[in-house]
Amino acid sequence: MGLFDYFKPKAPAPDELRRQADILMSLRGNRIPTATLERLQGAASGAKPWMATLTPAELLITRSHGLKPIAAISATCWLHYGFSWTLGHSQGWEAALSRLAQEAKACGANAVLDVKMRTIPLEAGESMDFTLLGTAVKIEGLPASSDPVIATVPALEFVKLLEADVVPTGIAIGAHYQWLSDWNNSANQAWMGNIEAPQLSSLWNDVRNRAHANLRESARPRGNGVLAHVNFSQMFDREREVNERKFKEYLARYIVIATTVDARRGTPLPHDISMMVDMCAGKTPLQGRKPHHQSYASHEQDGAI
C-alpha cells in the first residue's frame, strides 16, 4: 500500500450503509429512524441512561416540581427554499417541530423544555438547515401526551409559568416578505441630510405587521398569548432597468417565532412582573457588546430563545 492510499476515501462499512439507508427511508416515511427510536424507548424504560440539556440547578427545580427528564432530543430539516427563502423559514421550522414532537411522543414525554434553535452558517445551493434541540420531560402523575408541549422557555421559566397558572402550549411562527419598486428613486434622499424615507418606513411597518398577524394566526389554535419572541429581519436593494429606465427595488423580510401560552384571565400572579425581550437563563446576547441583528446566530452560546 502506497502513502497516498491512506488519503483515499474509504468505503462506508456495511453497518453504516444500513444506518444511512434506514435514515433516508424513515424521512421519506415520516417516522423516527430505528437507532433513534431504540435510544428513546430505552431512556423511557430506564434501560438506558437519561440525558438532558438542563443545568444542575434546573434539574433540581424540575424534579422538585414533579418534572422528570427523559432524554435529550433533536430534530433537523434541511430545506431547499428555491421558491421563497422567507416562507421557507416557516416551512423548515414547522417540519423540525413536527419531528421533535415525534421524538417526544416516542419516549413518553408530556413536554419538551429548553428548546434551542440552531442553523449552520453554510451556503449550499439555496438551502439551509433547521435544527431544534431540547429536553423531553414527563410530568409525574400524568399519562404520556399524544401532543407534547414544545417550549422555547428554559426549565426555570417553565416552572415559574406553571406556578402562575400560565401553561406553555407550543411554538408559533410568523413570516412575511414584500417587494417595493421605487420607480422615481425617491427613497434615496441621502443628499438632503437626515430625512426620513417614508416609502421604506411604510414598507418595513407593513412587513412587520403582517408577520405578527401571521404569528397570531399560528398561535390562535394553541392558546391565548405568546411570549419569548425571537425575530430575524433583513432588507435588500437592487437596481433594475425597464425600457431604459433605471430604478431600485427593495425586498424586506421578517420572521418572528414565539412560545404560545394559555392562561386564565384574572388569576393573580405569585411573581413580580418585569419587561423582557428574551427569556435566556443567565447571559443574554441583548446585554452584551457583540453586534447582532436579532438573528438565530445570536443565541449560539447562550440559553434558550
Side-chain angles (χ1 to χ4, degrees):
M1 179 182 292
L3 176 62
F4 291 101
D5 290 329
Y6 287 100
F7 298 97
K8 291 181 180 179
K10 296 181 180 180
D15 289 345
E16 180 64 17
L17 289 174
R18 283 193 291 269
R19 188 183 71 86
Q20 293 178 6
D22 178 70
I23 291 174
L24 289 175
M25 292 298 294
S26 299
L27 292 176
R28 292 167 181 167
N30 193 30
R31 61 180 178 83
I32 301 174
T34 303
T36 302
L37 185 61
E38 291 175 353
R39 177 179 67 84
L40 295 174
Q41 292 178 341
S45 65
K48 293 186 178 182
W50 57 269
M51 300 176 63
T53 63
L54 311 180
T55 65
E58 289 177 320
L59 287 172
L60 179 63
I61 196 170
T62 53
R63 293 305 298 268
S64 67
H65 284 69
L67 300 179
K68 178 184 178 182
I70 302 176
I73 61 176
S74 64
T76 294
C77 171
W78 196 290
L79 184 75
H80 182 273
Y81 52 80
F83 173 71
S84 167
W85 181 94
T86 309
L87 297 182
H89 266 260
S90 178
Q91 295 168 354
W93 288 124
E94 289 288 359
L97 282 169
S98 175
R99 292 172 183 174
L100 196 72
Q102 280 185 323
E103 290 203 6
K105 185 177 178 180
C107 62
N110 303 103
V112 186
L113 309 184
D114 195 35
V115 174
K116 298 179 177 68
M117 306 166 67
R118 293 290 182 265
T119 60
I120 298 175
L122 175 65
E123 296 183 5
E126 292 188 339
S127 66
M128 66 176 285
D129 80 302
F130 301 84
T131 298
L132 296 172
L133 311 167
T135 297
V137 301
K138 188 176 187 303
I139 301 175
E140 295 179 354
L142 294 179
S145 174
S146 60
D147 186 20
V149 170
I150 298 175
T152 59
V153 294
L156 293 175
E157 304 300 337
F158 187 86
V159 170
K160 289 179 181 179
L161 290 171
L162 293 181
E163 288 179 345
D165 203 18
V166 178
V167 182
T169 57
I171 294 178
I173 301 170
H176 187 71
Y177 73 103
Q178 192 167 313
W179 284 97
L180 169 68
S181 296
D182 188 13
W183 294 97
N184 299 319
N185 291 316
S186 55
N188 184 13
Q189 298 173 318
W191 59 274
M192 300 181 65
N194 295 337
I195 183 172
E196 182 182 8
Q199 302 93 331
L200 298 183
S201 294
S202 177
L203 170 66
W204 198 243
N205 183 65
D206 193 33
V207 168
R208 289 174 53 180
N209 285 341
R210 289 175 181 267
H212 280 97
N214 291 339
L215 177 73
R216 288 191 292 271
E217 199 63 31
S218 173
R220 200 180 309 278
R222 297 180 172 97
N224 57 9
V226 294
L227 51 81
H229 298 68
V230 61
N231 61 71
F232 182 82
S233 54
Q234 287 182 314
M235 184 179 287
F236 303 92
D237 67 333
R238 69 179 183 182
E239 289 189 355
R240 290 199 61 193
E241 183 174 350
V242 177
N243 297 328
E244 299 183 353
R245 182 180 181 183
K246 293 183 178 180
F247 62 95
K248 275 194 173 184
E249 283 188 334
Y250 297 88
L251 170 63
R253 52 195 186 190
Y254 190 91
I255 300 109
V256 59
I257 302 170
T259 292
T260 58
V261 297
D262 195 46
R264 286 188 295 179
R265 298 185 183 277
T267 302
L269 299 178
H271 303 289
D272 293 334
I273 299 177
S274 59
M275 183 66 180
M276 296 188 68
V277 289
D278 70 5
M279 298 196 61
C280 293
K283 292 184 178 180
T284 166
L286 300 182
Q287 294 177 350
R289 296 183 178 180
K290 183 179 179 181
H292 65 89
H293 192 54
Q294 296 176 300
S295 65
Y296 306 124
S298 302
H299 301 269
E300 287 181 354
Q301 302 299 329
D302 292 310
I305 293 173

